[in-house]
């Protein structure tokens, strides 16, 4: 039975996907092409110069084009991507100041087509060992105190609770199609 050697869970499959992406030249070239070919640099054009300038500065300040390239690659390698946006002010958010990708091995997704449509999901993040260490060390640690100060308070509380619930205004689940009823995405590498 050849199935005994196949990965059994998402974390192991993701390790395999990343291995094949990094070590198989054709897989690497094909996925890089898929992720980068459809995109080109862009800017916003608007009749109001203030609005145009605002959004073009936002694109530049957040390095949005580079981020979209990274997001596209993650989408093709793992079959999904979880972009997370940081706001300028957690109490009174107006604009995003930065974007990161969440590692899919640490993300849990709950959703079902019956629950207010197929795109309505709850997303949780299990803290990484590095994030746990920064929060446990606290604000006075000489190595990680500066990092601690940059972590939002709700994330610090979530680390202490062992799970961080993420609001849908800050995180998205971009799922590569493959199986409608699967909550998670399907890597293009699966068919290889």
């Amino acid at each position: 039975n050849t199935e005994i050697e196949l990965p059994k869970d998402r974390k192991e499959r993701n390790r395999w996907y990343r291995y094949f992406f990094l070590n198989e030249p054709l897989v690497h070239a094909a996925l890089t092409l898929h992720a980068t070919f459809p995109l080109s640099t862009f800017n916003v054009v608007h009749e109001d110069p203030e609005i145009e300038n605002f959004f073009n500065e936002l694109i530049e300040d957040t390095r949005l084009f580079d981020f979209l390239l990274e997001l596209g690659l993650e989408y093709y390698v793992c079959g999904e991507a979880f972009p997370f946006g940081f706001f300028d002010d957690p109490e009174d958010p107006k604009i995003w100041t930065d974007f990161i990708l969440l590692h899919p091995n640490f993300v849990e997704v709950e959703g079902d087509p019956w629950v207010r449509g197929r795109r309505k999901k709850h997303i949780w993040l299990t803290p990484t060992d590095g994030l746990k260490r920064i929060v446990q060390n606290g604000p006075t640690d000489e190595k990680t105190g500066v990092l601690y100060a940059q972590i939002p308070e709700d994330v610090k509380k979530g680390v202490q609770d062992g799970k961080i619930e993420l609001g849908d205004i800050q995180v998205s689940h971009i799922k590569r199609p493959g199986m409608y009823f699967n909550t998670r995405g399907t890597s293009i590498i699966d068919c290889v």
Side-chain angles (χ1 to χ4, degrees):
N1 186 358
T2 58
E3 287 185 22
I4 199 163
E5 295 181 16
L6 294 177
K8 300 293 184 222
D9 63 23
R10 173 161 294 282
K11 289 182 180 183
E12 191 176 346
R13 283 194 309 271
N14 283 343
R15 280 192 296 273
W16 281 41
Y17 300 150
R18 292 182 197 288
Y19 173 84
F20 284 111
F21 173 72
L22 293 172
N23 294 289
E24 293 291 334
L26 290 176
V27 171
H28 189 277
L31 295 186
T32 302
L33 183 65
H34 269 56
T36 58
F37 183 70
L39 293 177
S40 63
T41 57
F42 59 90
N43 61 2
V44 174
V45 177
H46 194 276
E47 60 190 33
D48 184 336
E50 266 186 65
I51 293 174
E52 180 176 320
N53 188 44
F54 173 82
F55 282 104
N56 285 324
E57 283 182 13
L58 180 66
I59 290 167
E60 187 176 322
D61 291 346
T62 59
R63 296 180 50 243
L64 188 58
F65 178 71
D66 294 333
F67 178 74
L68 290 174
L69 293 175
E70 293 165 347
L71 185 150
L73 197 53
E74 183 71 7
Y75 171 82
Y76 284 110
V77 171
C78 289
E80 60 189 354
F82 293 93
F84 181 89
F86 290 94
F87 282 119
D88 57 340
D89 181 354
E91 302 301 319
D92 185 25
K94 293 183 182 68
I95 62 168
W96 285 299
T97 58
D98 198 9
F99 296 101
I100 62 169
L101 288 174
L102 302 177
H103 196 301
N105 286 1
F106 297 98
V107 176
E108 294 175 42
V109 179
E110 283 291 328
D112 189 276
W114 283 100
V115 184
R116 293 172 42 193
R118 65 185 188 137
R119 286 188 167 63
K120 186 67 179 170
K121 301 173 185 169
H122 274 83
I123 300 175
W124 291 272
L125 180 67
T126 301
T128 63
D129 289 340
L131 185 56
K132 287 180 199 173
R133 191 171 38 258
I134 292 168
V135 171
Q136 288 169 353
N137 290 349
T140 58
D141 187 87
E142 67 180 51
K143 291 182 181 177
T144 60
V146 173
L147 300 174
Y148 178 89
Q150 297 175 34
I151 298 172
E153 291 303 317
D154 57 333
V155 173
K156 291 175 192 170
K157 183 181 178 332
V159 169
Q160 293 166 347
D161 296 343
K163 194 179 276 192
I164 305 162
E165 186 169 0
L166 303 173
D168 59 2
I169 195 167
Q170 284 183 278
V171 69
S172 293
H173 179 206
I174 302 172
K175 171 187 162 186
R176 188 174 169 277
M179 301 294 220
Y180 178 84
F181 294 103
N182 287 356
T183 305
R184 303 296 292 260
T186 305
S187 172
I188 201 168
I189 299 174
D190 275 338
C191 64
V192 179

